[in-house]
Amino acid sequence: MGFLNKLFGKADDNDNAPVAPFDSASVRSEVDELISALGALTDAMDTEDAPLSNPGWRGRLHDLREVRGDLRILTRRQDFTKDDLYEVLTCVRPLYRGEPPKDFAHLAPQNERVVSAIEDVHRAAGS
């Protein structure tokens, strides 16, 4: 593998670098907040006046609910790895980032809460 490391510019010292252990308990409160934020967003999206006839809207609502469920399943485990967390976390997509589109303006507080919670989980996980 030395040849491939040289080819891709990887130094041999990186292979021996210590890896900090991941403590799943250290991110539980942030993940719980993300779960709660996703619940608030999906509840706000699923109202009587929501465009549920729009397949894209239904799809986003489904995706957000599914990733919320995946996070809940993950946190029920006694321990989980950083890789387990990131595997689920990569599926969390807020409705938008930055300025809210006019169709989503009424969901701005809930969406901002999700964005903030995602960033908090990343910070707590040490990435």
Side-chain angles (χ1 to χ4, degrees):
M1 289 298 255
F3 172 74
L4 291 177
N5 284 342
K6 288 178 185 176
L7 180 66
F8 291 109
K10 295 182 181 180
D12 290 334
D13 331 355
N14 290 345
D15 294 340
N16 299 327
V19 176
F22 177 72
D23 179 19
S24 60
S26 68
V27 297
R28 285 196 188 269
S29 64
E30 287 81 2
V31 173
D32 287 343
E33 169 56 24
L34 178 55
I35 290 168
S36 178
L38 286 167
L41 179 58
T42 55
D43 288 348
M45 289 174 67
D46 191 11
T47 60
E48 283 188 28
D49 58 337
L52 293 175
S53 61
N54 180 328
W57 188 267
R58 283 194 326 262
R60 286 305 301 274
L61 189 55
H62 172 76
D63 291 347
L64 291 168
R65 284 182 173 150
E66 187 170 315
V67 76
R68 180 176 182 240
D70 292 345
L71 285 168
R72 291 174 82 183
I73 290 169
L74 181 70
T75 59
R76 286 186 186 137
R77 292 177 23 197
Q78 185 70 5
D79 286 315
F80 52 88
T81 66
K82 191 184 249 190
D83 289 341
D84 294 336
L85 175 62
Y86 286 154
E87 186 175 324
V88 177
L89 200 57
T90 57
C91 298
V92 180
R93 295 181 319 143
L95 289 178
Y96 60 88
R97 291 197 181 254
E99 284 296 311
K102 67 177 180 151
D103 294 339
F104 300 143
H106 65 289
L107 299 170
Q110 293 87 354
N111 189 68
E112 280 304 311
R113 184 177 168 199
V114 169
V115 171
S116 177
I118 292 169
E119 292 168 358
D120 290 347
V121 171
H122 279 283
R123 254 189 307 279
S127 59

